[in-house]
Amino acid sequence: MNEACDAIRERVKVPILFDHNALAQREVDIKTKVSLKPTKTFYKKIIDRLLYQLKLKCDLLVDEADRPFLWVTPLGGSK
């Protein structure tokens, strides 16, 4: 998952930030291998499909300086 996010982050130039506390509570390891068949689609759909394999989701948020970022959390919130 880490490698996939790094590759996408380089292309879209948007930080992908993980809620490490919530991931630790759910015992999600973002180093887990994920896969996706090559297809023509947009990056958000690729990210969603990869994250779903680990039961994660992402939201596009904006920080105080009006810069966008993707916030990755477990599906259903934290425990």
Side-chain angles (χ1 to χ4, degrees), residues 36-66:
L36 185 67
K37 292 181 183 176
T39 183
K40 287 188 178 184
T41 189
F42 50 95
Y43 287 112
K44 175 68 165 99
K45 192 166 195 166
I46 292 170
I47 293 168
D48 287 341
R49 286 182 178 174
L50 292 172
L51 291 174
Y52 188 76
Q53 293 177 39
L54 298 178
K55 295 184 174 64
L56 301 174
K57 65 175 183 148
C58 70
D59 295 305
L60 182 61
L61 303 175
V62 179
D63 67 11
E64 302 85 22
D66 288 330

Side-chain angles (χ1 to χ4, degrees), residues 1 39 79:
M1 186 72 216
T39 183
K79 281 186 177 178

